[in-house]
Amino acid sequence: MDRQADITAMRRAVRLAARGLGATSPNPVVGCVVTDASGRVVGEGWHQRAGGPHAEVHALRAAGEAARGGTAYVTLEPCNHTGRTGPCAQALIEAGIARVEYAVPDPNPQATGGADTLRAAGVEVGRGLLEAEAEAGNLAWLTAVRAGRPFVRWKYAATLDGRIAAADGTSRWISSAESRADVHRLRAEADAVVVGSGTARADDPHLAVRGVEGAVQPLRVVVDTEASAVKPGARVLDGAAPTLIAVAEDAETSLPDVVRLPRAAAGGLSVPALLDALHARGVRSVLLEGGPTLAGAFLAAGAVDQVVGYLAPVLLGAGPNALADAGITTISDALRLDITETTRIGSDIRITATPKGA
């Protein structure tokens, strides 16, 4: 057994899985590489859209009879249930696959058990190859399954001294054009983009994806507690993407596409109730683009799974900070983060981090 060849094949499967980001929800992204009995790659595939064939099926179709006696490398444990598509474990067995290497066990109780089914049929099964890489690529879906709520990525752009706007409120073009284009990539990967009433009033944001070929438009969500920020004719109400306005249960509004939610004790809407409502609509990943108040509410609720900050080489000295009150009053309670990536984007630095211990 050539372990380096195994690693190369699984790494290819991880890259293939990434092609499905933003198009497979509420299902995971999955990649698969099939090699024949001699180790030659004969089939590749990835889960391309929800309801469509899974990665294993695409790869097996490409491989045909060459799959018999070969190996399948899959980023997620092959599913063991019949939904809109059949069980992938059975498809691998019927194709005559002799060995399956999968990276991450499936935490979904409805789909797990594929590895046991394969072993019972005499297929050699290996688990954990490049598990960390595959887990990172499927972070949103895995978090949603384990936490029972959507994965939340908080994105912000700020100056080096942490300001998101000048003292007079002007905020356009703090970050570079390259960073702004990168944000559209993040939107394209998300099921929903969320902003608050302050952002809706100040910017009249559009929130749809631009410049990403083949992107599935995310649900545009405005948290407008008093139903006073989103007016008829707002850009977010056009037909470019679906829209949902979250308001308090007692708010008066005639706008369509409204969800009524309970108020939070500290003001605003209940973040857990909002996430429950989105999860019920099939949302598994959220890009939080709201201002400092909404970001603080999400952090206080323990509902931020990843932070992506675009830091521009600019100093202002005054103006609103990126984050408002998050319920943290002493340094010992500070939310500590692990930096997972730093990347130069145009003239800016993009920092990606996750809460320690997450």
Side-chain angles (χ1 to χ4, degrees), residues 197-225:
S197 57
T199 300
R201 287 193 188 93
D203 300 336
D204 187 21
H206 192 229
L207 302 182
V209 177
R210 299 190 304 274
V212 180
E213 185 177 353
V216 176
Q217 291 292 346
L219 176 68
R220 300 177 292 185
V221 181
V222 180
V223 180
D224 187 7
T225 306

Side-chain angles (χ1 to χ4, degrees), residues 201-331:
R201 287 193 188 93
D203 300 336
D204 187 21
H206 192 229
L207 302 182
V209 177
R210 299 190 304 274
V212 180
E213 185 177 353
V216 176
Q217 291 292 346
L219 176 68
R220 300 177 292 185
V221 181
V222 180
V223 180
D224 187 7
T225 306
E226 307 300 337
S228 60
V230 180
K231 305 292 186 183
R235 298 174 69 214
V236 77
L237 297 177
D238 69 9
T243 299
L244 185 68
I245 311 300
V247 304
E249 291 171 323
D250 57 350
E252 295 184 6
T253 179
S254 59
L255 289 174
D257 303 317
V258 166
V259 60
R260 295 184 177 275
L261 300 173
R263 294 177 183 267
L269 295 181
S270 165
V271 170
L274 172 64
L275 292 175
D276 285 345
L278 293 177
H279 193 270
R281 285 168 167 78
V283 171
R284 297 297 179 263
S285 60
V286 165
L287 180 63
L288 177 62
E289 291 196 37
T293 301
L294 190 61
F298 269 73
L299 277 171
V304 172
D305 302 298
Q306 188 181 71
V307 179
V308 178
Y310 297 86
L311 299 184
V314 177
L315 298 174
L316 283 172
N321 294 313
L323 182 64
D325 182 17
I328 300 169
T329 58
T330 180
I331 192 66

Side-chain angles (χ1 to χ4, degrees), residues 11 33 51 87 96 98 142 154 179-181 189 191 202 204 236 254 282 286 297 305-306 313 315 324:
R11 186 156 287 139
V33 170
L142 289 167
W154 171 41
S179 289
R180 297 193 296 276
E189 293 180 4
D191 298 334
D204 187 21
V236 77
S254 59
V286 165
D305 302 298
Q306 188 181 71
L315 298 174

Side-chain angles (χ1 to χ4, degrees), residues 77-132:
E77 179 185 0
C79 68
N80 198 42
H81 79 301
T82 300
R84 286 185 283 183
T85 61
C88 291
Q90 191 60 40
L92 291 163
I93 293 167
E94 292 174 358
I97 288 290
R99 181 168 69 106
V100 172
E101 291 281 350
Y102 71 91
V104 180
D106 193 332
N108 185 350
Q110 293 180 320
T112 193
D116 291 338
T117 296
L118 290 164
R119 290 190 187 97
V123 178
E124 180 185 348
V125 179
R127 166 186 166 173
L129 180 63
L130 298 191
E131 183 172 4

